Amino acid sequence: MTNFSSRLKKVANNPESFRKFVRGVERESLRYKDDGRLALTPHPEGLGSALTNKWVTTDFAESLLEFITPVSNDVDELVGQLSDIHHFAIKQMGNEKLWPLSMPCYVEQEDDVTLAQYGSSNTGKMKTLYRQGLKSRYGSMMQIISGVHFNFSFPESMWDSLYGEQSEAERQQTKSDAYFSLIRNYYHYGWLIPYLFGASPALCSSFLKDQESNLPFEELGHTKYLPYATSLRLSDLGYTNSAQSELNIGYNNLEHFLDGLDKAIKTPSEEFAKIGIKVDGEYRQLNSNVLQIENELYAPIRAKRVARPGEKPSEALHRAGVEYIEVRSLDVNPFSPIGITREQVRFLDLFLTWCLIKDADTVCSSELSCWKDNWNKVILEGRKPGLMLRELKNGCDGKVLSLHDYTKQIFRDLEEIASEMDKAIGGTKYADTCSILQTWIDNPELTISGQLLDKTKESGGIGEFGSQLGDKYRQAHLAQEYNVYSEAMMLEEAENSLAAQREIEQSDTVSFDDYLADYFSYLND
């Protein structure tokens, strides 16, 4: 019996391990106007405070909304929560709509992108200044690309099944080690996600502006596309940062990761120093180091822990280890009004469980680079007939095999997990998910990117198809009924968030300069 099979058997002996997955979703979407162009209005008043509302905030830009569900153990409840948040938000937005694609369109110039505003508190001003730093370093266009983040953790019953009784300290270490093993497998095999769910094979010409690209784009009106691409959002044109490619951040264990992250945060950057920090009395960035703060590290998956008030993310991880992981490589699904489907959630349940219980050797930076080559091939030409990937084993060695055969090989394990999950939960939803997605392996044009490119061509361009979907989804959100929440609950949260922001602003006792100096005092350690 293989290690995978024996571990799966251990987990399957305790069905609670599959029934209590903890999930949450964060979905980003740009507000736009009837003419298809970016909304230039402030954050809608009816949504409350972007700083403190637990369900609705903003990401990089004032027009880039972010909808956040609380954690849930039930897939239907999770989808219902996200649907309710969309329903409420649309009602507060007047005639504006939500852009249903990851890649922005009809943005005439970068100055149209207003940085997200969070009020006059030191905390709020720091959030906006961080975004000013991102704009100064990378430009605004990359920052208004939308995605879906999937937060996930395993229940205690999973750890009990795999590792038996442990002391609190042992369990903390075990969880962290196991989550980093999962992360390594995700880097190794996670190209499967853009293959299946990538939804950005095309972009508006305006996105590139004067940016040079050696990619062999084909054109359709104002649309540029690659015929076999899956996720340009994850390419060097999208939400990645080639400037961070030299960072030696490892994923063999939590200590390895935190050491590399700490070095990146404390290492000065000659390039970013040229921008200046505070020029003529105006801040341009938080500091001139390789990373301003930890959140600037671009990664397709992150190890996370809920931080205490005033605690930095790395401090939380150092204090108590990894609590959950955040999957960040999901494009917005244009064929869902809320950007993600139940089937995608169930696939992620299967895939992340597989990544946990499958062996994952430690890796060096050169091996991570080899894994990235597979990702890049899938991102740029994942639907190309006969595309070959390298089955990486023992470093960068391994035989070459087709994406089709490689994916089928992975799905054999996923089907085993699906069978056990269905036994634990009842029904055949996980097996059905595997069956549906395997038809996408046999016919790549059934993938989301394949369907989207077909619709883009039929509509005459990505902007036209996005606008059609935005109109359709606005009407659908307005017409729906609440599933989990209520209008009263949403309005109460919006009002409470405004009161919470006022309280934060009134509690400030130091200047913004002093606040920043205190926050970054650790850089001198």
Side-chain angles (χ1 to χ4, degrees):
M1 183 178 289
T2 64
N3 287 341
F4 165 76
S5 298
S6 63
R7 289 173 189 150
L8 178 58
K9 185 177 181 180
K10 281 184 179 180
V11 175
N13 285 335
N14 185 354
E16 281 297 300
S17 301
F18 295 134
R19 295 176 186 150
K20 297 295 184 180
F21 291 151
V22 182
R23 314 173 187 86
V25 171
E26 302 164 19
R27 186 263 168 107
E28 300 161 348
S29 183
L30 284 166
R31 291 185 289 114
Y32 74 101
K33 302 180 290 186
D34 279 335
D35 62 2
R37 301 187 186 280
L38 192 67
L40 304 180
T41 50
H43 187 63
E45 290 184 11
L47 296 178
S49 167
L51 180 66
T52 53
N53 190 313
K54 64 186 179 184
W55 290 319
V56 185
T57 183
T58 50
D59 194 76
F60 173 79
E62 191 74 343
S63 56
L64 184 54
L65 291 175
E66 183 173 353
F67 304 138
I68 304 169
T69 72
V71 296
S72 173
N73 301 123
D74 183 84
V75 176
D76 289 334
E77 181 182 58
L78 180 73
V79 170
Q81 290 168 335
L82 193 56
S83 297
D84 287 354
I85 298 169
H86 279 72
H87 171 58
F88 177 73
I90 282 287
K91 292 178 67 175
Q92 306 304 315
M93 287 168 47
N95 293 325
E96 293 176 353
K97 304 163 190 174
L98 294 172
W99 189 244
L101 307 172
S102 278
M103 302 303 285
C105 203
Y106 301 136
V107 181
E108 295 182 358
Q109 52 191 0
E110 291 215 0
D111 287 344
D112 287 344
V113 181
T114 302
L115 299 177
Q117 303 296 308
Y118 300 98
S120 61
S121 68
N122 288 328
T123 300
K125 288 192 286 188
M126 182 177 168
K127 287 173 72 73
T128 299
L129 177 55
Y130 166 58
R131 287 154 174 76
Q132 177 62 56
L134 296 177
K135 177 180 179 180
S136 300
R137 293 173 175 218
Y138 318 115
S140 294
M141 293 297 285
M142 185 184 83
Q143 302 296 327
I144 58 171
I145 297 171
S146 301
V148 174
H149 298 166
F150 183 71
N151 299 309
F152 182 89
S153 66
F154 296 98
E156 285 300 316
S157 51
M158 176 68 81
W159 309 116
D160 291 340
S161 299
L162 289 172
Y163 302 106
E165 290 188 15
Q166 293 179 299
S167 68
E168 184 176 346
E170 288 173 331
R171 179 57 56 88
Q172 178 179 313
Q173 185 67 49
T174 293
K175 284 184 181 180
S176 292
D177 289 344
Y179 276 123
F180 270 92
S181 176
L182 181 159
I183 288 170
R184 292 194 300 279
N185 274 330
Y186 187 93
Y187 271 101
H188 195 161
Y189 304 100
W191 49 263
L192 188 54
I193 290 176
Y195 173 75
L196 294 170
F197 305 133
S200 50
L203 45 77
C204 281
S205 301
S206 60
F207 178 81
L208 292 177
K209 295 290 185 184
D210 299 325
Q211 184 178 348
E212 293 185 6
S213 172
N214 59 3
L215 295 175
F217 281 114
E218 297 185 21
E219 297 193 17
L220 175 68
H222 60 76
T223 298
K224 291 180 180 289
Y225 68 94
L226 295 178
Y228 302 117
T230 61
S231 179
L232 293 174
R233 167 181 169 265
L234 296 178
S235 74
D236 287 341
L237 292 175
Y239 198 71
T240 60
N241 180 8
S242 56
Q244 295 181 14
S245 60
E246 301 302 316
L247 294 179
N248 186 24
I249 295 179
Y251 298 93
N252 288 331
N253 54 55
L254 178 58
E255 292 72 24
H256 190 193
F257 171 76
L258 289 178
D259 286 347
L261 182 61
D262 183 66
K263 182 179 179 181
I265 290 171
K266 294 180 178 179
T267 299
S269 164
E270 291 184 15
E271 178 186 357
F272 298 150
K274 296 174 184 176
I275 297 169
I277 298 174
K278 191 175 186 181
V279 180
D280 298 329
E282 295 291 329
Y283 279 104
R284 295 184 177 179
Q285 54 185 337
L286 291 171
N287 56 58
S288 58
N289 292 344
V290 175
L291 302 179
Q292 297 176 93
I293 57 175
E294 297 152 32
N295 290 348
E296 194 171 334
L297 177 66
Y298 296 94
I301 187 170
R302 284 179 178 170
K304 303 285 289 275
R305 168 164 288 278
V306 176
R308 294 170 177 171
E311 191 176 45
K312 299 176 181 64
S314 60
E315 291 172 339
L317 286 170
H318 189 270
R319 168 178 55 82
V322 182
E323 183 178 11
Y324 66 99
I325 50 100
E326 179 188 34
V327 172
R328 299 168 56 82
S329 52
L330 284 169
D331 286 356
V332 173
N333 185 340
F335 300 109
S336 165
I338 58 173
I340 190 171
T341 65
R342 290 172 175 82
E343 289 72 28
Q344 286 178 283
V345 172
R346 293 192 181 99
F347 171 79
L348 290 170
D349 287 348
L350 291 167
F351 185 67
L352 295 174
T353 300
W354 181 70
C355 286
L356 177 76
I357 62 180
K358 179 179 174 58
D359 286 332
D361 294 332
T362 57
V363 296
C364 63
S365 57
S366 63
E367 290 170 296
L368 285 171
S369 178
C370 294
W371 294 352
K372 187 178 179 181
D373 287 342
N374 276 349
W375 279 74
N376 286 339
K377 284 183 178 180
V378 174
I379 286 165
L380 296 178
E381 49 183 6
R383 288 179 289 106
K384 185 176 181 179
L387 179 67
M388 306 300 286
L389 302 178
R390 186 168 292 279
E391 186 184 24
L392 300 166
K393 292 182 178 179
N394 301 317
C396 294
D397 297 329
K399 64 182 179 181
V400 174
L401 73 168
S402 68
L403 180 146
H404 175 276
D405 291 347
Y406 204 170
T407 306
K408 286 286 189 177
Q409 182 177 297
I410 294 170
F411 263 82
R412 283 196 287 272
D413 285 351
L414 297 183
E415 286 179 312
E416 288 190 45
I417 300 174
S419 175
E420 298 296 345
M421 285 188 181
D422 283 335
K423 289 177 186 176
I425 296 167
T428 60
K429 290 178 179 177
Y430 284 97
D432 293 345
T433 296
C434 281
S435 297
I436 291 169
L437 294 181
Q438 291 206 71
T439 66
W440 297 13
I441 302 169
D442 296 326
N443 182 359
E445 297 315 302
L446 295 176
T447 62
I448 295 177
S449 61
Q451 295 180 59
L452 177 57
L453 194 54
D454 283 345
K455 294 294 185 182
T456 296
K457 292 176 179 178
E458 287 178 14
S459 303
I462 195 69
E464 288 81 359
F465 184 56
S467 294
Q468 292 170 20
L469 286 178
D471 291 343
K472 174 184 173 182
Y473 291 157
R474 180 177 183 275
Q475 295 305 318
H477 288 311
L478 288 173
Q480 78 165 70
E481 300 291 333
Y482 282 102
N483 298 279
V484 180
Y485 302 125
S486 67
E487 187 82 359
M489 293 170 68
M490 288 287 176
L491 290 170
E492 182 180 19
E493 174 59 23
E495 186 60 36
N496 288 345
S497 71
L498 291 170
Q501 178 179 323
R502 289 192 294 270
E503 184 176 340
I504 292 171
E505 290 170 346
Q506 292 165 4
S507 67
D508 279 345
T509 58
V510 299
S511 69
F512 187 51
D513 286 351
D514 289 342
Y515 175 83
L516 290 181
D518 179 65
Y519 186 92
F520 290 111
S521 60
Y522 69 93
L523 295 179
N524 301 317
D525 293 345

